[in-house]
């Protein structure tokens, strides 16, 4: 899938017709294309949008894209943001335009989506042993010389399964040995000796090519700066040892990759100390949640809290819901629930209230989300809270990954409420 064909696929998104599939969009827009609706520049609050509706801030989205581009460049890091966060090809393209080396993904279906939209470099941060998926990957590699895919391996058995499917394929599949983050952590080889055994298994087949090492520091048990730093030094030392053993002979570059959204400052610090190897090192960062950030979990754990001089991400999501019931002075209900809002890490938080009569926006004024039903938010209201049936509440969300996945078409909204674009997701 060439970049040009991917551009055509993106253009087709704009030609999609607005209809009942897409939550929150104006009913009177049915039949318009997405491009036609965007061109109208409707206001999110007065232009016929229905609640609940998720909005993505145009200004904050651009700020976050620019900040991580600058951060990666400043620290000499290549960047392959994790696409599982948004599964939005329009955002993939903007990330690449902002200097990303490629896109990280987690499962083969996500790779298929990215390929449909012309993504030419994919880091698949997972093991792949499914025969059907491997045959499809091999066919993509054979059909497009410009396509590069790198995936994890963490066992001799996995290498054997991959080899059995890939024999006779035109190009070997590039793999990195995944170093596990510790006992009881997620996937990945637990010891350096086992890493060497996996690397030997890769060297023994023609269907795979070892191109580096990788892992995910966010799985380090009881993660703190010392433990995360120690694991990252194990990862970089593994790359050095593999290089000394000649495992990277003949490569143009070696990949050393880590970096979620909570410890990329530690990744930058440790990766800066990687010594010169026999071939250049691609220091690949994979943080993904930055694109929208949030007001909960990632606001608490972002490395920018530790290095404020580097900048700050801004929460770009706001879920707008409407007060539909006010049964008592201390209770109210809004029409957004688990089907609409992330709730796996934190409940949504009421940030602002928009008066149904005047349109004036004010602070939350003592309104708290205490629970979610499928289609209702339970709100506790303090004494004197000015909240009426018909008011709109702007909810802040925690965890971008489980916010994007509930919405197929998300309005991109400027600060004055003008809807300027729509982002299509594919989960």
């Amino acid at each position: 899938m060439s970049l040009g064909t991917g551009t055509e696929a993106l253009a087709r998104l704009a030609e999609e017709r607005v209809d009942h599939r897409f939550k929150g969009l104006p009913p009177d827009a049915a039949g318009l294309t997405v491009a036609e609706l965007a061109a109208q520049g409707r206001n999110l609050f007065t232009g016929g949008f229905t609640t609940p509706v998720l909005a993505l801030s145009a200004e904050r989205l651009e700020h976050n894209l620019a900040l991580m581009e600058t951060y990666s460049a400043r620290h000499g890091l290549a960047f392959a943001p994790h696409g599982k966060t948004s599964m939005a090809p329009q955002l993939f393209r903007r990330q690449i335009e902002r200097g990303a080396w490629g896109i990280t993904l987690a499962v083969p279906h996500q790779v298929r989506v990215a390929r449909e939209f012309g993504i030419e470099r994919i880091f698949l941060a997972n093991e792949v042993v499914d025969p059907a998926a491997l045959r499809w990957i091999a066919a993509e590699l054979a059909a497009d010389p410009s396509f590069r895919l790198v995936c994890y391996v963490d066992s001799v058995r996995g290498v054997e399964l991959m080899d059995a499917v890939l024999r006779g394929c035109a190009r070997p599949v590039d793999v990195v040995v995944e170093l596990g983050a510790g006992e009881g952590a997620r996937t990945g080889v637990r010891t350096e000796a086992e890493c060497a055994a996996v690397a030997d298994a890769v060297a023994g087949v023609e269907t795979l090519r070892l191109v580096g090492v990788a892992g995910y520091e966010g799985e380090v048990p009881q993660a703190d700066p010392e433990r995360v730093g120690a694991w990252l030094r194990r990862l970089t030392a593994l790359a050095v040892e593999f290089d000394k053993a000649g495992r990277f002979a003949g490569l143009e570059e070696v990949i050393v990759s880590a970096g979620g959204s909570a410890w990329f400052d530690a990744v930058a610090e440790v990766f800066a100390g990687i010594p010169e190897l026999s071939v250049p090192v691609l220091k690949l960062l994979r943080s993904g949640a930055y694109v929208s950030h949030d007001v909960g979990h990632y606001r608490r754990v972002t490395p920018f809290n530790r290095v404020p001089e580097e900048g700050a991400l801004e929460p770009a999501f706001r879920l707008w819901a409407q007060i539909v019931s006010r049964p008592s002075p201390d209770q109210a209900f809004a029409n957004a629930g688990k089907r609409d809002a992330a709730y796996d890490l934190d409940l949504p938080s009421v940030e602002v209230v928009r008066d149904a009569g005047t349109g004036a926006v004010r602070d939350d004024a003592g309104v708290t989300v205490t629970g979610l039903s499928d289609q209702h938010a339970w709100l506790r209201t303090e004494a004197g809270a000015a909240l009426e049936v018909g008011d709109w509440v702007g909810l802040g969300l925690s965890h971008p990954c489980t916010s994007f996945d509930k919405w197929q078409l998300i309005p991109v909204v400027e600060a004055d409420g003008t809807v300027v674009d729509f982002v299509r997701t594919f989960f």
Side-chain angles (χ1 to χ4, degrees), residues 76-162:
L77 300 170
F79 191 30
H82 212 317
K84 72 174 175 62
T85 297
S86 70
M87 284 309 297
Q90 293 150 289
L91 297 183
F92 295 173
R93 180 60 58 87
R94 289 185 66 176
Q95 289 169 317
I96 288 173
E97 290 170 349
R98 282 292 190 172
W101 172 90
I103 298 295
T104 296
L105 295 162
V107 292
H109 162 71
Q110 295 171 355
V111 178
R112 290 185 62 198
V113 172
R115 289 297 291 154
E116 180 66 24
F117 291 89
I119 304 303
E120 294 186 344
R121 288 181 183 151
I122 293 173
F123 190 94
L124 180 49
N126 207 342
E127 285 70 24
V128 184
V129 294
D130 179 83
L134 287 167
R135 286 192 290 269
W136 178 83
I137 288 170
E140 285 289 295
L141 290 168
D144 185 356
S146 66
F147 174 43
R148 186 178 188 194
L149 179 136
V150 180
C151 71
Y152 284 176
V153 289
D154 76 346
S155 67
V156 172
R157 170 65 170 164
V159 170
E160 293 170 348
L161 290 171
M162 295 178 78

Side-chain angles (χ1 to χ4, degrees), residues 315-335:
F317 269 143
R318 181 164 283 171
L319 175 63
W320 288 97
Q322 194 167 30
I323 302 302
V324 294
S325 179
R326 189 81 158 92
S328 66
D330 62 353
Q331 194 174 37
F333 291 87
N335 62 346

Side-chain angles (χ1 to χ4, degrees), residues 291-411:
V291 70
S292 68
H293 198 46
D294 72 9
V295 302
H297 177 74
Y298 286 101
R299 174 180 276 176
R300 293 191 296 271
V301 304
T302 177
F304 289 118
N305 292 336
R306 294 186 290 271
V307 287
E309 67 277 7
E310 299 261 23
L313 295 168
E314 297 179 354
F317 269 143
R318 181 164 283 171
L319 175 63
W320 288 97
Q322 194 167 30
I323 302 302
V324 294
S325 179
R326 189 81 158 92
S328 66
D330 62 353
Q331 194 174 37
F333 291 87
N335 62 346
K338 293 178 181 178
R339 307 295 188 191
D340 314 298
Y343 60 92
D344 55 318
L345 296 181
D346 301 287
L347 288 172
S349 57
V350 178
E351 296 194 298
V352 295
V353 176
R354 188 176 189 277
D355 188 278
T358 66
V361 176
R362 60 184 184 273
D363 291 338
D364 59 18
V367 185
T368 305
V369 178
T370 60
L372 294 178
S373 300
D374 284 350
Q375 300 293 175
H376 289 94
W378 294 58
L379 307 179
R380 182 180 67 245
T381 56
E382 297 177 5
L387 191 67
E388 301 293 340
V389 170
D391 289 347
W392 286 34
V393 289
L395 301 174
L397 303 177
S398 180
H399 199 185
C401 299
T402 51
S403 298
F404 275 104
D405 70 356
K406 294 172 173 56
W407 296 83
Q408 293 186 67
L409 197 61
I410 304 170

